[in-house]
Amino acid sequence: MSLDKIEEAFYLYLEGIQLLQGALKTSFLDAYIETIENIIDGYQVRVVDGVPNEQSVDNLNDNYQKIKQISLNAEEKRKLSQLLLLKGMQSEPIQPNHQLTPDSIGFLFVFLIEQLYPNKSETYTILDLTAGMGNLLLTILTNLRLNDYQLKGIGVDNDETLLAICAANSQWIGEEVTLYHQDSLQDLLVDPCDVVFGDLPIGYYPMDDNAKQFITGVDSGHSFAHHLLLEQSMAYVKKNSFGLFLVPSNFLETDQSDQLKKWLSGEEIFLQGIIQLPTELFKNEATQKSILLLQRQGEKAKQVPQVLLAKLETLKDPKAVVAFFNEFKQWQKESGLI
C-alpha cells in the first residue's frame, strides 16, 4: 500500500466532502455519505431542486475527476474511509459508543477468526449486532478475503446515520453485506451465523420489559446493554460456533455481574478465553477492555480444560504480538479447540 497514494486520496476526498458540506449546509457525516454515494454512482453529483448550485457542481466535478484517477483496492478504501471519518469527528465529536473500532483491535479479531475457522473451502456468514459505521465489520471482511476466505456479512444497528455510512462504505468497497436498521435486542430476521462479534456499546438499555426476557437482564432498573447484547449475539450463532466481543475488562466485577455469570455458566455457552488488551489503547484503567471468546454449546463443543487468560502488554512491539499469537496457537492446540 502506497502511503503517498493514500495521502493524496485523503486530501482529495476531504476536499470533496467539505465542498459538498458547504454547498448543502449539512453535517460532515451526511456530506461523507453523499460523497461516497456520488462516487459509486459514476462520479456524478446528485442535484435536487437546484442544490448544489451550478458553481458547486462544477467544483465537485473537477474534484471527482481527480479522485477518479486514483485506483484503490478494498482495504485501501476502508483505511481511507477510517481516516476521513476520524477527521470528521475532530470537528463533530460523537458519543464514545459510536467511535470507530481501532484497526489494531480489528486485526486481532481477524487473527482469532483465522485460527478458529481454518477451513477456507467453506463460505462463512459473519454477524455484528453493533455494526455502527462498520469499521470492525469491514476490517474483518476485507482482511479475511485477502487471505482467501469466502464471506457474507450481516450488520445491525439502530442508528440510521451510522448504518448509512456502513452501507455506503460496503458498496464502495465491494463487500457483500446485508444491513438491518433496528434495535438489535428485538427479534431479528437473521439465520444462525458462523461467527458473531462486536465492539459492544457500554451503558444501560432503556427498554426494561424487553430486558427482563434475557437471563442477563436485571429484575429492577435498567440492564447493561453490553450484557444483553452478548446473550442476544450468541443466540444468533450456530451451535459449536464462536463469538468474539470487546467488553470492559471488569465485566465480571460489576453490580450486574451475577446475571452475566448465571448465563455464562448455563447450558448454552462456554466461556473459552479472555484476552486483556494493552493499557496503551485506553485513556485510563476504568476504560480498559478485553476480548471475550465464547462458544455456543453443541455436539462438537466442549469446555476447554484451561480457560485462556492472556494479557497483551503492547501492540507497538512486533515481538510481543508474535509471542501472543504463538501463545494462542499453543493454547488452542493443547485445548483441542478447533
Side-chain angles (χ1 to χ4, degrees):
M1 181 184 300
S2 168
L3 294 179
D4 290 341
K5 181 171 68 170
I6 293 294
E7 183 178 9
E8 181 185 5
F10 172 80
Y11 286 111
L12 284 174
Y13 274 81
L14 181 61
E15 178 188 1
I17 293 166
Q18 292 174 336
L19 282 171
L20 196 55
Q21 184 181 8
L24 301 180
K25 295 180 174 55
T26 189
S27 70
F28 183 95
L29 293 183
D30 284 339
Y32 173 88
I33 294 167
E34 186 152 339
T35 296
I36 298 302
E37 290 176 345
N38 286 345
I39 299 299
I40 294 168
D41 192 29
Y43 301 89
Q44 300 294 315
V45 181
R46 182 188 309 160
V47 179
V48 179
D49 296 331
V51 180
N53 61 34
E54 188 174 338
Q55 182 60 56
S56 295
V57 170
D58 288 342
N59 293 337
L60 285 164
N61 280 331
D62 289 342
N63 173 258
Y64 290 174
Q65 288 306 306
K66 295 174 185 176
I67 285 175
K68 195 174 182 179
Q69 303 307 311
I70 301 176
S71 177
L72 300 171
N73 63 31
E75 177 61 3
E76 288 170 337
K77 289 178 180 177
R78 188 199 63 79
K79 285 184 175 294
L80 174 59
S81 164
Q82 183 184 56
L83 292 172
L84 291 166
L85 292 169
L86 288 171
K87 177 66 176 179
M89 291 175 205
Q90 292 177 359
S91 58
E92 297 176 14
I94 62 175
Q95 62 169 287
N97 281 334
H98 291 167
Q99 297 288 340
L100 293 167
T101 306
D103 276 0
S104 55
I105 294 175
F107 293 147
L108 285 174
F109 276 68
V110 170
F111 164 77
L112 293 169
I113 292 172
E114 285 179 326
Q115 303 311 305
L116 297 168
Y117 296 85
N119 185 1
K120 297 181 182 181
S121 64
E122 296 185 20
T123 297
Y124 297 110
T125 301
I126 68 175
L127 170 66
D128 184 351
L129 293 189
T130 56
M133 297 185 196
N135 195 53
L136 179 60
L137 176 59
L138 292 174
T139 298
I140 292 172
L141 282 169
T142 57
N143 284 279
L144 285 177
R145 198 175 299 284
L146 283 172
N147 290 334
D148 299 322
Y149 280 84
Q150 302 301 313
L151 305 158
K152 295 179 181 179
I154 300 175
V156 184
D157 205 278
N158 64 354
D159 189 291
E160 187 174 6
T161 299
L162 300 186
L163 208 62
I165 292 171
C166 184
N169 282 343
S170 300
Q171 188 176 355
W172 180 43
I173 289 169
E175 285 294 345
E176 184 178 351
V177 180
T178 302
L179 298 174
Y180 296 93
H181 176 219
Q182 71 166 93
D183 178 354
S184 297
L185 292 169
Q186 302 288 340
D187 290 339
L188 305 173
L189 294 174
V190 175
D191 292 328
C193 297
D194 298 289
V195 192
V196 65
F197 54 86
D199 180 351
L200 302 184
I202 310 305
Y204 295 98
Y205 180 62
M207 310 291 286
D208 294 339
D209 288 342
N210 189 39
K212 288 176 182 177
Q213 301 178 46
F214 293 82
I215 297 172
T216 51
V218 296
D219 293 331
S220 61
H222 294 334
S223 302
F224 279 153
H226 47 293
H227 289 185
L228 303 175
L229 284 163
L230 281 172
E231 184 175 347
Q232 179 79 329
S233 295
M234 293 305 294
Y236 284 90
V237 72
K238 295 175 182 177
K239 291 183 178 181
N240 310 299
S241 292
F242 295 94
L244 294 163
F245 305 98
L246 200 60
V247 297
S249 291
N250 67 344
F251 72 101
L252 293 176
E253 302 167 2
T254 69
D255 58 0
Q256 293 191 18
S257 62
D258 285 347
Q259 287 80 7
L260 181 60
K261 291 174 184 176
K262 179 180 179 182
W263 174 68
L264 288 171
S265 61
E267 298 181 354
E268 291 292 328
I269 302 301
F270 290 134
L271 169 55
Q272 307 289 34
I274 302 171
I275 302 164
Q276 186 176 338
L277 296 173
T279 56
E280 66 196 24
L281 296 176
F282 308 101
K283 292 181 179 179
N284 52 57
E285 186 176 345
T287 61
Q288 284 190 322
K289 294 187 178 183
S290 298
I291 296 175
L292 183 61
L293 171 58
L294 303 178
Q295 185 177 21
R296 187 167 181 185
Q297 294 187 21
E299 68 282 356
K300 297 179 182 178
K302 63 178 181 179
Q303 179 63 60
V304 295
Q306 185 68 45
V307 173
L308 174 68
L309 298 175
K311 183 176 181 180
L312 258 168
E313 296 292 345
T314 181
L315 291 175
K316 296 177 180 178
D317 180 2
K319 291 182 179 179
V321 176
V322 171
F324 165 72
F325 287 172
N326 291 334
E327 178 185 0
F328 184 88
K329 291 175 181 177
Q330 184 63 30
W331 168 79
Q332 188 179 13
K333 180 180 179 181
E334 293 174 354
S335 64
L337 191 65
I338 299 294

